[in-house]
Amino acid sequence: MRITTRNAQFQVWQSLLTNRKTRQREGEFLVQGVRPITLALEHGWDFRAVVFDASRKLSRWATGVLESTRSARQVAMSPELIAELGEKSEGPPELIAVVAMRPDRFDRIVPGEGLLTVVFDRPTQPGNIGSLIRSADAFGATGVIVTGHAADVYDPKSVRASTGSLFAVPTIRIPSPRDVVDWAGRLRPRPLLVGTDEAGSVDVDGHNFRGPHVILIGNETSGLSTTWREAADLMVRIPMVGSASSLNAANAATAVLYEAARQRRRHGR
C-alpha cells in the first residue's frame, strides 16, 4: 500500500494523534520512536499497520520491524506526510506503528505477594501518565490503573513520556474507584491501599512496603478524591526540606516506588 496524498486512511491516522474519540472508536493508537516500537514488538502487542518513509533506504532496525510485522499492513508513505504523523520538526521518521489497544481488564495485573500496583486518580496531563508508567516500570511495579475522568493513557504525549514502558507494564483505565476497591478486596492476599498526601500520618520510609500494595496517587492539583481517601488503609507523606510544598504527581509516585523497591530488594522480594 502506498499513500502520497491526505486520503481517508491518512486522515484517520492523523486523527489518532489528537482525537481521543477516534482512538477509542478505532481501538488503536500511533507509536513513534525506536524504543517504543521495539518494546511494543518485544511484548507482543498487536501491530495493525507499519508506515515507513518511501523516500529513503531503511536502516537494519526498520527493515527488521517490517520483517517482524508481516501480518500488519505495510504502508509506504511520502516523507512530508509521515513527518506529520511523526510530529518531528527535524525530519520524517523512518517508521510509525499503528498498534491495537489492549483491554482494560483487571486480569492483566498479576496478583500475589509481590503485587505493587499504582493508581493514578484523575490525572489531567498525559505526560504525567507516561512519566508515572516509566517509573512504575523502573521500580518493578506490576501494574498501573488510571481512574476517574482522566487524560488518555494512549495519547501520544503519554506514549512518548513512557519511553516504551507502556508496553511493558500492564496499564488499564477503570473509571470507577469503587471497582478498583472491589477488585483489591477480592485478591488473596489482600493488598494494602496506601495513599499519598503531604499530611499523611507516616513517613514513606517508615512504612513496610514488602507485602502486596496498591499505591494511590492523586490528581496534580487537588490530590486524591474523597472516595480514595476513605478507601485508603493508610496515608503516607514524603518528607521534604526547602521551600517546595509538594511534588509533581509523577515525581511523588517515583519517590514512593523507589522506597518500595528499596525495601523489597533489601529483603529479597
Side-chain angles (χ1 to χ4, degrees), residues 54-224:
S55 69
R56 70 166 87 174
K57 179 177 173 59
L58 297 179
S59 68
R60 182 179 298 178
W61 168 78
T63 302
V65 171
L66 288 170
E67 290 175 350
S68 300
T69 57
R70 291 187 182 277
S71 62
R73 279 187 295 171
Q74 300 191 346
V75 181
M77 185 172 285
S78 61
E80 62 273 13
L81 294 183
I82 197 172
E84 289 186 36
L85 296 184
E87 301 180 298
K88 295 182 70 172
S89 58
E90 63 271 25
E94 279 192 292
L95 288 181
I96 292 173
V98 183
V99 177
M101 297 176 182
R102 284 192 170 172
D104 295 308
R105 295 201 316 252
F106 287 114
D107 60 8
R108 290 180 57 202
I109 300 174
V110 178
E113 286 287 349
L115 180 80
L116 182 63
T117 291
V118 185
V119 166
F120 201 171
D121 178 36
R122 300 166 298 132
T124 59
Q125 301 298 321
N128 280 339
I129 297 175
S131 295
L132 185 148
I133 294 169
R134 184 178 180 180
S135 293
D137 188 16
F139 295 116
T142 54
V144 173
I145 302 173
V146 176
T147 63
H149 183 69
D152 187 13
V153 167
Y154 295 105
D155 186 291
K157 295 183 181 68
S158 173
V159 179
R160 284 195 297 269
S162 81
T163 64
S165 291
L166 171 66
F167 304 108
V169 179
T171 302
I172 62 176
R173 302 165 296 177
I174 304 294
S176 170
R178 178 52 53 190
D179 289 341
V180 183
V181 173
D182 291 345
W183 164 76
R186 293 192 299 269
L187 296 180
R188 294 295 178 269
R190 178 190 176 278
L192 280 177
L193 305 183
V194 176
T196 52
D197 189 85
E198 61 189 41
S201 58
V202 180
D203 285 350
V204 66
D205 57 353
H207 174 67
N208 179 357
F209 281 99
R210 297 196 296 275
H213 277 74
V214 175
I215 296 169
L216 313 175
I217 303 295
N219 169 275
E220 297 94 333
T221 302
S222 58
L224 286 170

